Amino acid sequence: MMEKTADLCLRRAGEADCKTLSAIAFTAKAHWGYDAAFMEACRAELTFDAGRVKAEHIVIAERGGAPAGFYSLLPGEAPGCGEVEDMFVLPAHMGKGIGRALMEDLIRAARTRGLTRLEVDADPHARGFYERMGFTGFTASPSASIPGRELPRLYRAL
């Protein structure tokens, strides 16, 4: 899968992209001002290996030939439901349409798989982005990395 428009290219991630995905995730998360202890607690969750890249549907956005962001889509727990596992855009590319392009591609991929609903545990700083993309809140979820922290659980019907 490769979609290209002007200087933006969306392509499926491969095993050779593990370090790039991990760097994007860590850099984008750190952008929100989290302290070193928080970021270290999140390191495992933000690290990609070959097994994870094979198991997940991951698409990288490149602008001008350089990585700018990515998403990963997983099957959800309920039939017809998909999980936005990751959605990260490098700070230098935020507000420039990368997130929207990734979300539009993610929605196409979800519909192609017959999904009718997307869910996400959103970083609180990303909640506004997801709401602009048509997601709405319905509950909270415990953080996988930080005990006692809750994340907004959002959904969008397809």
Side-chain angles (χ1 to χ4, degrees):
M1 187 263 350
M2 184 177 281
E3 180 181 320
K4 194 169 187 173
T5 57
D7 69 338
L8 179 64
C9 175
L10 301 180
R11 65 171 179 83
R12 184 82 187 258
E15 290 180 46
D17 294 307
C18 292
K19 286 183 182 178
T20 298
L21 295 168
S22 299
I24 291 170
F26 201 82
T27 301
K29 187 77 157 181
H31 167 75
W32 300 113
Y34 293 117
D35 65 26
F38 180 97
M39 292 304 299
E40 194 54 40
C42 295
R43 187 171 297 280
E45 187 178 351
L46 300 174
T47 300
F48 289 76
D49 60 22
R52 186 169 175 191
V53 171
K54 283 181 182 179
E56 298 179 22
H57 177 79
I58 303 175
V59 172
I60 297 176
E62 296 175 333
R63 175 154 276 160
F70 74 93
Y71 75 79
S72 65
L73 172 66
L74 292 173
E77 293 181 18
C81 186
E83 185 75 25
V84 181
E85 184 67 12
D86 298 288
M87 173 71 71
F88 290 107
V89 175
L90 287 171
H93 296 281
M94 289 180 179
K96 298 179 180 175
I98 300 292
R100 180 173 293 281
L102 286 167
M103 183 59 73
E104 289 170 356
D105 190 76
L106 186 151
I107 289 168
R108 277 192 299 275
R111 287 180 174 149
T112 298
R113 288 163 173 71
L115 302 176
T116 57
R117 178 181 170 112
L118 289 172
E119 295 184 2
V120 62
D121 290 334
D123 184 285
H125 296 287
R127 184 177 188 148
F129 165 78
Y130 285 107
E131 289 174 342
R132 289 189 299 279
M133 297 296 111
F135 285 75
T136 189
F138 71 100
T139 191
S141 287
S143 168
S145 300
I146 310 294
R149 182 176 191 239
E150 290 194 334
L151 302 172
R153 181 89 175 149
L154 310 173
Y155 80 95
R156 176 191 164 140
L158 302 176

